[in-house]
Amino acid sequence: MGNGLGKVIQPIYDEVIARNPAEKEFHQAVREVLESLGPVLAKHPEFGEHKIIQRICEPERQIIFRIPWTTDKGEDMINRGFRVQFNSALGPYKGGLRFHPTVYLGIIKFLGFEQIFKNALTGMPIGGAKGGSDFDPKGKSDSEIMRFCQSLMTELHRHIGEHTDVPAGDIGVSAREIGFMYGQYKRLSNKWEAGVLTGKGLAWGGSLVRKEATGYGAVFFVHEMLKARGDDFEGKICTVSGSGNVAIYTIEKIHQLGGKCVACSDSGGVIYHEKGLDLDLIKQLKEVDRRRISEYTKHHKDAVYKEKGNIWEIPCHVAMPSATENELDGKDAAMLVKNGCIAVGEGANMPTTPEGVEVFLKAKIAYGPGKAANAGGVATSALEMQQNAMRDAWSFEETEVKLHKIMKNIHQLCYETAEEYGEPGNYVVGANIAGFVKVARAMLAHGVI
Ligand code: NDP
Ligand code: 2IT
């Protein structure tokens, strides 16, 4: 972190910047991985000889398209759609779709790049991709959402398929949107091809535990980090940013493991409830009524809502950023450490800035980077694909046991890889190297393509 990249890797990074100007999140994600790779090239000169890093940084295919749709009032609207099919060395492209007004190519490329290594860490046969649109779902009616999803799929259906590319959800895309997109895909392709999308409804090919998987998986990962230090969740005060899919099921699993989650948030502000968050209420507000988290205080007079507040100011033992990228900076990290935080597990993708990561690593707290800690979502998507291929449906318990095992394996792989490369306890180095080596080996085997 903040290290020089070294004589061999610096020019590779410089070229990535020159070829992809003004995509700052993509630059950040690439730099963070490349900072770990010097010792890998030293150990595996064949990766350097065959320009594996340069090839990994160049997406295999990038699709950008127009999404026209009409509002309920009859106004014609135009959005931009993206699908970046980054790497298929390990399996069909796999990764979510994000609907958020901040989406542009640089966001999709950072997410797609991270997804390559995350998916490799799961040990499942899936390549890396990401997509989405600058469409803002907030305040839209169900029929507007439906028309938008249909229009998006009218183009996207040409580029995806169960053996080609399998999208899923991300910010702003849940089972409702996956349903509308699946319906349009089925209509255009004239096929019942359940494995083309994951995160489907349970009645039509979805998997139990997929909804819970990212949050549960992130908590399992943190639990493993705590266990490696002779500790666990019992009695731990926790804070979880966001109040969407990942945050909700992170809070649920923390409570199941004996921790107490006292704060969550959305882009409007922070809720603090000292006696522990009422998760049933949060689910009702966010999943059913699609309301803002500020309404929590209407039901609990002893809770506090701070508009535009900073959740990282609240003292906790475990912090789990689960909203969005760069939501936790160097100052926030220093404050968390000062207030006694001993573990951070990233439910979101790249939520901690490079300065924040440096603070956590220097303080030697247990820090689980997103590409390892939040891999449970995509891993359970791969379990959904397995069930679809077998025309089978597993029980909740059976699926959760598989997820738990996958998260333990990811933890162990990152832990052992960090030790092997002389950085014990550094899960950033462990995750980057372990993910990269799996993909690099497959790319070498496939020749120069
Ligand atoms: P949701 O749309 O369900 O929830 C997103 C939450 O984050 C909301 O509370 C939202 O607040 C908040 N948020 C989003 N963007 C911003 C922003 N720019 N500033 C402040 N708050 C923001 O998304 P998910 O829970 O699915 O995703 C959360 C994170 O987890 C993302 O980083 C995503 O990439 C990552 N992730 C998701 C996986 C999944 O399976 N869903 C898997 C792995 C990672 P508001 O409602 O006010 O916008
Ligand atoms: O960031 C992610 O890993 C996701 N949004 C989930 C991707 C997936 O294909 O389930």
Side-chain angles (χ1 to χ4, degrees):
M1 295 300 106
N3 300 327
L5 288 168
K7 270 212 309 282
V8 179
I9 293 189
Q10 184 69 48
I12 301 177
Y13 180 65
D14 292 343
E15 201 183 329
V16 169
I17 304 241
R19 285 168 71 79
N20 305 278
E23 294 175 2
K24 61 183 195 309
E25 295 83 3
F26 179 52
H27 302 165
Q28 183 184 338
V30 169
R31 183 177 182 104
E32 193 254 346
V33 171
L34 265 48
E35 279 177 351
S36 302
L37 297 184
V40 182
L41 284 193
K43 202 166 176 169
H44 294 277
E46 68 280 16
F47 294 162
E49 244 166 70
H50 293 282
K51 300 202 173 167
I52 295 291
I53 300 182
Q54 291 91 324
R55 278 198 266 154
I56 267 188
C57 291
E58 183 70 20
E60 290 176 14
R61 191 176 295 107
Q62 307 186 53
I63 302 146
I64 303 181
F65 52 101
R66 179 167 70 200
I67 310 178
W69 59 282
T70 305
T71 66
D72 291 342
K73 291 192 173 135
E75 188 184 351
D76 296 338
M77 307 295 281
I78 308 294
N79 283 98
R80 187 171 290 174
F82 302 89
R83 187 71 181 167
V84 175
Q85 298 176 332
F86 230 113
N87 193 293
S88 60
L90 295 177
Y93 306 110
K94 182 85 195 85
L97 296 170
R98 175 179 290 192
F99 295 172
H100 196 273
T102 55
V103 163
Y104 77 106
L105 188 58
I107 293 277
I108 300 300
K109 278 166 72 177
F110 118 64
L111 289 163
F113 186 76
E114 289 279 291
Q115 201 82 43
I116 304 171
F117 308 102
K118 182 196 304 192
N119 293 6
L121 287 172
T122 66
M124 321 285 284
I126 41 180
K130 203 82 189 193
S133 174
D134 56 3
F135 174 74
D136 186 357
K138 283 203 188 83
K140 304 291 188 295
S141 70
D142 277 0
S143 48
E144 287 174 329
I145 299 277
M146 180 185 75
R147 286 193 296 278
F148 174 79
C149 289
Q150 290 177 339
S151 182
L152 178 147
M153 189 52 82
T154 300
E155 175 58 36
L156 191 65
H157 89 282
R158 302 177 220 283
H159 310 288
I160 62 176
E162 63 174 328
H163 302 298
T164 310
D165 183 358
V166 183
D170 193 81
I171 291 175
V173 177
S174 59
R176 173 181 61 168
E177 290 73 21
I178 295 291
F180 292 144
M181 289 190 275
Y182 187 73
Q184 184 74 346
Y185 182 85
K186 181 164 69 66
R187 185 186 190 193
L188 290 166
S189 64
N190 194 29
K191 273 188 209 147
W192 182 271
E193 187 188 338
V196 69
L197 290 171
T198 61
K200 298 182 292 294
L202 296 175
W204 43 278
S207 172
L208 285 162
V209 190
R210 176 61 191 89
K211 184 174 68 172
E212 294 83 359
T214 309
Y216 279 20
V219 177
F220 288 147
F221 190 90
V222 172
H223 198 204
E224 291 302 308
M225 294 198 298
L226 291 171
K227 283 199 309 200
R229 293 164 176 238
D231 206 343
D232 61 27
F233 264 103
E234 196 57 49
K236 297 287 184 298
I237 304 293
C238 307
T239 56
V240 177
S241 64
S243 49
N245 171 261
V246 177
I248 287 174
Y249 294 95
T250 296
I251 298 167
E252 183 160 286
K253 188 51 78 179
I254 287 172
H255 287 173
Q256 286 174 13
L257 293 183
K260 182 167 84 166
C261 191
V262 296
C264 68
S265 63
D266 62 18
S267 57
V270 177
I271 286 288
Y272 175 66
H273 199 178
E274 194 186 352
K275 74 176 191 205
L277 291 171
D278 174 352
L279 191 59
D280 289 338
L281 173 61
I282 296 174
K283 284 184 181 174
Q284 180 67 35
L285 289 174
K286 303 302 287 192
E287 292 187 327
V288 183
D289 304 338
R290 296 181 189 275
R291 315 291 294 202
R292 311 300 297 157
I293 201 67
S294 56
E295 294 189 21
Y296 186 98
T297 52
K298 280 192 197 159
H299 304 264
H300 287 287
K301 300 291 174 213
D302 55 340
V304 184
Y305 175 68
K306 195 166 170 195
E307 201 178 320
K308 296 285 161 214
N310 181 358
I311 192 168
W312 312 124
E313 285 172 359
I314 299 168
C316 64
H317 301 113
V318 178
M320 299 200 56
S322 307
T324 194
E325 58 278 355
N326 292 327
E327 55 163 315
L328 195 168
D329 65 16
K331 265 201 210 141
D332 299 328
M335 201 151 44
L336 280 166
V337 171
K338 183 171 142 264
N339 287 339
C341 177
I342 56 165
V344 174
E346 295 184 340
N349 286 304
M350 208 168 74
T352 309
T353 64
E355 296 74 27
V357 175
E358 199 169 339
V359 170
F360 292 146
L361 293 180
K362 271 207 180 122
K364 295 199 179 301
I365 67 162
Y367 167 64
K371 64 171 77 66
N374 72 40
V378 74
T380 308
S381 279
L383 297 177
E384 182 173 329
M385 291 162 72
Q386 281 186 15
Q387 292 168 79
N388 294 153
M390 297 161 75
R391 297 183 187 275
D392 199 358
W394 305 332
S395 70
F396 194 95
E397 292 69 27
E398 193 180 349
T399 317
E400 192 184 3
V401 166
K402 286 182 197 282
L403 166 65
H404 195 182
K405 196 165 155 209
I406 292 167
M407 296 314 298
K408 279 183 160 187
N409 289 344
I410 296 174
H411 173 271
Q412 194 176 349
L413 179 62
C414 297
Y415 186 89
E416 287 173 359
T417 307
E419 294 223 314
E420 182 190 336
Y421 280 82
E423 302 248 14
N426 185 333
Y427 293 93
V428 175
V429 162
N432 287 338
I433 296 182
F436 173 80
V437 167
K438 280 188 191 222
V439 181
R441 289 207 167 112
M443 288 175 72
L444 265 191
H446 295 163
V448 184
I449 54 167

